[in-house]
Amino acid sequence: CHTSGMLTPNGKEYAQKIPREELTHLILKLLQAWKEPLSHFNQHHQELPDDSLSKAKQISNMVHELKTGVEKSMGIISNALNGMTSSEAAGLSISNEANMMSDSDFIHCFRRDSNKVQSYLKILKCRIMPENSC
Amino acid sequence: MRQKSTSSPQIILLLALTAVGLTGQSYPGKPKIIRCRSLEKETFSCWWKPGSDGGLPTNYTLFYSRDSEEEIYECPDYRTSGPNSCYFDTNHTTPWTTYNITVMATNEIGSNSSDPQYVDVTSIVQPDAPVNLSLETKTSANTMYLWAKWSPPPLADASSNSHVYHYELQLKPEEKEEWETISVGVQTQYKVIRLQAGMKYVVRVRCMLDLGEWSEWSSERRIQIPNGESPPEKPTIIKCRSPEKETFTCWWKPGSDGGHPTNYTLLYSKEGEEQVYECPDYRTAGPNSCYFDKKHTSFWTIYNITVRATNEMGSNFSDPHYVDVTYIVQPDPPVNVTLELKKPMNRKPYLVLTWSPPPLADVRSGWLTLEYELRLKPEEGEEWETIFVGQQTQYKMFSLNPGKKYIVQIHCKPDHHGSWSEWSSEKYIQIPTDFRVKDMVVWIVVGVLSSLICLIMSWTMVLKGYRMIAVILPPVPGPKIKGIDTHLLETGKSEELLSALGCHGFPPTSDCEELLIEYLEVEDSEDQQLMPSHDSSHPSKNTKMIPKETDSDSGRGSCDSPSLLSEKCRECRTLPSTLQRQDVRDVQENKGGKTSWETQCIASEQKILLFNNETAKSSTWPAAQLPNNQPPMFAYHSTVDAHKITLNTANVNIAPVLVGNEEKRQSQYPVTETVHNDTEKEREMENLHSKTDQTTAQVKQNRPNDKSPFLNPKLMDYVEVHKVRQDEQAVLLKHKENSGKTEKYTVPGTSKEYTKVSTVVDHNIIVLMPDSCIQHTSVSQEPAMETSPNLQQGQAEKNMSYCLTAPSECKRETSGSEYMDPSSFMPSFK
């Protein structure tokens, strides 16, 4: 996966040890890293049946919204802006890589990264608002 | 000829045969019982082979008898064992008895039965062959042995698995012919040693019950005995699981060990790394397993896991197994499943089911999010109803049937990839039925109460319907005030009217005194005058009255009812010796009624008092004093008459005779009237009596007694009592309906009493009573309570129940002046 280079906690303890901001930053980085490959995927796979295409589009929208939502809720737009430049650069190279992936790998990597993002967000949520079904 | 004669029977036979041959129908052929067999000594079956069916549909019936008993039974079950069979179940099977079995084939033409077969259950026992034979080679202590396992034959009903089978095993090398037989005993496994390595063996097994025959041989199994020098077989990895997304375990299954003890090692590598690691923990999770603790577990990483089997001769690797721990999470089942019955107000009770996530799962930090699902079924039900609950740990159940028992189970799964946990242990729910029972109880109670009430109502209606009706729907009283001069009313001479009415029943103010004109003397002549007039009027009146009596009496009590009054009057009449005994029967009637008469009648006479049987005391009236002279001019509807009568006789001790007749009347009249019981009446009577002693009925007529208008039973004259006062004479204003005269009568010489109008009877009878009387007597029930102002209103009610006996007494005292029946003018005041 093109995001394999990112250093992400791969266990509960590691994820809990990371400070909040860093975790949030990680999430955003992940989401950012998938923005381009997803749109690229949608562009280049018009041959898919309609419902698959719409699903893919829906997914990339969701990723985008999730990213925006996280940014807003964490109030780190400024940081994101800062990080953007660097990550954009990284993202470009990464996305080049992503474009090379086979479809199955693409989907496999996306599945994993989305699971990562979900887990990190949940940990964040329970850290910030523990009373909410945690 | 001979030929002909001899051939005729032959011809017939021929014909018959041809007929048979042509049509092809005949009686069936003889069936034959093939075999009978019992599987387990408790049931058995017999099979037969049909003979020819003779071309027609044939029924087969099996008959049997036991042990040379005479009775013949038929087969209980033709189906279970298939066609042409008979199955004897446990109820029909008795061991140690000989069955004599025959099969009969029947068709339209005839029947044919088989030869009898003698069957002893115990001798025909033969079980089925064993099943599930499995073979394994094992090595222990450097020896290779063959381990054979099997299962006993399955039974149809599977209920009695307590049969002990003896087994026998046979094996031989594949190429050989001869079997080696090994007696196994009762075990379902056996280890065979002395095997030649490298050979292929064939194994089979059979069984037997303690008596009977050996079963058939089971199907054969082959196994290759490995050489002692071969590497182990490839193990296989079964599965890997993580219970809480923090650790995981893998299990494998070893292959054959190739004749030597084999070691198993698990090796793994992570995605992106070349390094191969060995399993950190072989023990925690049991044999042939590997446990990865937290340190060794990485997420979002693919593990490449293999198992290696090693023995002296070599090693073998399993196929690699790739696993990402994120996707192999299978939690433990939820715990702490609890039920709570909640009973909110105004709503049906419902059940709340709560549970906790499994203890290992870390839900608090959000690392693992679980979703729950529960399933529900009634205890006797077949299918589960599955309900997806989501991430909450409680569930409210509203729609369960009360009184039924339910089983509920819960399981969970991670919200993302993963698998469902096992179901939690069964939890039983018993829905309480109490509120339902309460419903029933309430309805039953309501039903019973209402039926009781209906019964009571109907009973009272039956018994006292008349009176009830009278109470509920009081008849509208007609104006019956004789004394009132309708002309007076018409002409609107208010003064006279008022005066006529003034002292009667109205609050006895001093006005009455003013109205008191004079001492009213009732004289014979007057009486006679009156009487004739009264007579003239009265008869009509009477006639009128009577009907009125009968119909106009409305809510009045027994006293007031016209019939009562008439009766009383009659009684009054009869009382005084001089009085015309008119309706002795009335007296008797009254006597019958044990009620104490109100002084009403008594007033007239002591005799009247006689009516008050109960109150015997009161009966001692100086009857003689009663107005012999004063024929009861008044047909008192009420005791008023009686009073008048008594009044005539000055000496009359007006014993307050409570009208017990009311009670008697009660039977005819509404209950409301007679409230007093005898004792009370007696008491009252006594009181009255005493009082009257004190105050003897002082109503004295001015006139000689002969003019006792009171006692004229037929005369329903009434005198209007203008005023009732103690020590005064009652001013009785007599009104004649017809004559319109208003005469005032005063009772002379009554030092004490007064006559108070105790009641005004419907029928326009003023019941004047001495105070004492009044106290005890009830005011007429007529609503016109107001007409008797002097009456102690408090007792009015009470008095109401009394007929105007009391007043009658008073009237007596007031000397038989005629009383105007205030009721005649009553209505006007109403």
Side-chain angles (χ1 to χ4, degrees), chain B residues 773-799:
Chain B
C773 303
I774 293 170
Q775 288 170 1
H776 300 285
T777 61
S778 59
V779 181
S780 71
Q781 297 157 352
E782 215 180 25
M785 290 298 300
E786 67 271 21
T787 57
S788 55
N790 294 332
L791 292 174
Q792 298 166 7
Q793 297 294 332
Q795 297 168 352
E797 290 307 322
K798 209 163 99 168
N799 290 339

Coordinates of all heavy atoms in Angstrom, one line a residue, chain B residues 773-799:
Chain B
C773 N -97.9 13.2 71.1 CA -98.1 12.3 70.0 C -97.3 12.6 68.8 O -96.7 11.8 68.2 CB -99.6 12.4 69.5 SG -100.7 12.1 70.8
I774 N -97.3 13.9 68.6 CA -96.6 14.3 67.4 C -95.2 13.8 67.5 O -94.6 13.5 66.5 CB -96.7 15.8 67.3 CG1 -98.1 16.2 67.0 CG2 -95.8 16.3 66.1 CD1 -98.3 17.6 67.1
Q775 N -94.7 13.9 68.6 CA -93.3 13.5 68.7 C -93.1 12.1 68.2 O -92.1 11.8 67.6 CB -92.8 13.6 70.1 CG -92.6 15.0 70.6 CD -92.4 15.0 72.1 OE1 -92.3 13.9 72.7 NE2 -92.3 16.2 72.6
H776 N -94.1 11.4 68.5 CA -93.9 10.0 68.2 C -94.5 9.6 66.9 O -94.1 8.6 66.3 CB -94.4 9.1 69.3 CG -93.8 9.5 70.6 ND1 -92.6 9.0 70.9 CD2 -94.3 10.2 71.6 CE1 -92.3 9.5 72.1 NE2 -93.3 10.2 72.6
T777 N -95.4 10.3 66.6 CA -96.0 9.9 65.4 C -95.3 10.5 64.2 O -94.6 11.5 64.3 CB -97.5 10.3 65.3 OG1 -97.5 11.7 65.4 CG2 -98.2 9.7 66.5
S778 N -95.5 9.9 63.3 CA -94.8 10.4 62.1 C -95.8 11.2 61.3 O -96.9 11.0 61.3 CB -94.4 9.2 61.2 OG -95.6 8.5 60.9
V779 N -95.2 12.1 60.8 CA -95.9 13.0 60.0 C -96.3 12.3 58.7 O -95.6 11.4 58.3 CB -95.2 14.3 59.7 CG1 -96.0 15.2 58.8 CG2 -94.7 14.9 61.0
S780 N -97.4 12.7 58.3 CA -97.7 12.0 57.0 C -96.6 12.2 56.0 O -95.9 13.2 56.0 CB -99.0 12.6 56.5 OG -98.8 13.9 56.0
Q781 N -96.6 11.3 55.3 CA -95.5 11.3 54.4 C -95.8 12.3 53.2 O -94.9 12.5 52.4 CB -95.3 10.0 53.8 CG -94.9 9.0 54.8 CD -95.2 7.7 54.4 OE1 -95.8 7.5 53.4 NE2 -94.7 6.7 55.2
E782 N -96.9 12.8 53.3 CA -97.2 13.7 52.2 C -96.2 14.8 52.2 O -95.7 15.2 53.2 CB -98.6 14.3 52.4 CG -99.3 14.5 51.1 CD -100.6 15.1 51.4 OE1 -100.8 15.7 52.4 OE2 -101.5 14.9 50.6
P783 N -95.9 15.1 51.1 CA -94.9 16.2 51.1 C -95.3 17.4 51.7 O -94.5 18.3 52.0 CB -94.7 16.4 49.6 CG -95.6 15.4 48.9 CD -96.3 14.6 49.9
A784 N -96.5 17.5 52.0 CA -97.0 18.7 52.6 C -96.6 18.8 54.0 O -97.4 18.8 54.9 CB -98.5 18.8 52.4
M785 N -95.4 18.7 54.2 CA -94.9 18.8 55.6 C -95.2 20.2 56.1 O -95.4 20.4 57.2 CB -93.5 18.5 55.6 CG -93.1 17.1 55.4 SD -93.9 16.0 56.6 CE -93.1 16.7 58.1
E786 N -95.2 21.0 55.2 CA -95.4 22.4 55.6 C -96.7 22.6 56.2 O -97.0 23.6 56.9 CB -95.1 23.3 54.4 CG -96.2 23.2 53.4 CD -95.9 22.1 52.4 OE1 -95.1 21.2 52.7 OE2 -96.5 22.2 51.3
T787 N -97.6 21.8 56.0 CA -98.9 22.0 56.5 C -99.0 21.8 58.0 O -100.0 22.2 58.6 CB -99.9 21.1 55.8 OG1 -99.5 19.8 56.1 CG2 -99.9 21.4 54.3
S788 N -98.1 21.2 58.5 CA -98.1 21.0 59.9 C -97.0 21.7 60.6 O -96.0 21.1 60.9 CB -98.1 19.5 60.2 OG -97.0 18.9 59.6
P789 N -97.1 22.9 60.7 CA -96.0 23.7 61.2 C -95.7 23.3 62.6 O -94.5 23.4 63.0 CB -96.6 25.1 61.1 CG -98.0 25.0 61.1 CD -98.3 23.7 60.5
N790 N -96.7 22.9 63.3 CA -96.4 22.6 64.7 C -95.6 21.3 64.8 O -95.0 21.0 65.8 CB -97.7 22.5 65.5 CG -98.3 23.9 65.5 OD1 -97.6 24.9 65.5 ND2 -99.6 23.9 65.7
L791 N -95.8 20.7 63.8 CA -95.1 19.4 63.9 C -93.6 19.6 64.1 O -93.0 20.5 63.5 CB -95.4 18.6 62.6 CG -96.8 18.2 62.5 CD1 -97.0 17.5 61.2 CD2 -97.2 17.2 63.6
Q792 N -93.2 18.8 64.8 CA -91.7 18.8 64.9 C -91.2 18.3 63.6 O -91.2 17.1 63.4 CB -91.3 18.0 66.1 CG -91.9 18.6 67.4 CD -91.8 17.7 68.5 OE1 -91.2 16.7 68.4 NE2 -92.5 18.0 69.6
Q793 N -90.6 19.2 63.0 CA -90.2 18.8 61.7 C -89.2 17.7 61.7 O -89.1 16.8 60.9 CB -89.6 20.0 60.9 CG -90.6 21.1 60.7 CD -91.7 20.6 59.8 OE1 -91.5 19.8 58.9 NE2 -92.9 21.2 59.9
G794 N -88.5 17.8 62.8 CA -87.4 16.8 62.9 C -88.0 15.4 62.9 O -87.4 14.4 62.4
Q795 N -89.1 15.3 63.4 CA -89.7 14.0 63.5 C -90.6 13.8 62.3 O -91.2 12.8 62.2 CB -90.6 13.9 64.7 CG -89.7 14.0 66.0 CD -90.6 14.1 67.2 OE1 -91.8 14.3 67.1 NE2 -89.9 14.1 68.3
A796 N -90.6 14.8 61.6 CA -91.6 14.7 60.5 C -91.3 13.4 59.7 O -92.2 12.7 59.3 CB -91.4 15.9 59.6
E797 N -90.1 13.3 59.4 CA -89.8 12.1 58.7 C -90.2 10.9 59.4 O -90.8 10.0 58.8 CB -88.2 12.0 58.5 CG -87.7 13.1 57.5 CD -88.4 13.1 56.2 OE1 -88.8 12.1 55.7 OE2 -88.7 14.2 55.7
K798 N -89.9 10.9 60.6 CA -90.3 9.8 61.3 C -91.8 9.7 61.3 O -92.4 8.6 61.1 CB -89.9 10.0 62.8 CG -89.5 8.7 63.5 CD -88.7 9.1 64.7 CE -89.6 9.2 65.9 NZ -88.8 9.2 67.2
N799 N -92.4 10.8 61.5 CA -93.8 10.7 61.6 C -94.4 10.3 60.3 O -95.4 9.7 60.2 CB -94.3 12.1 61.9 CG -94.0 12.4 63.3 OD1 -93.7 11.5 64.1 ND2 -94.0 13.7 63.7

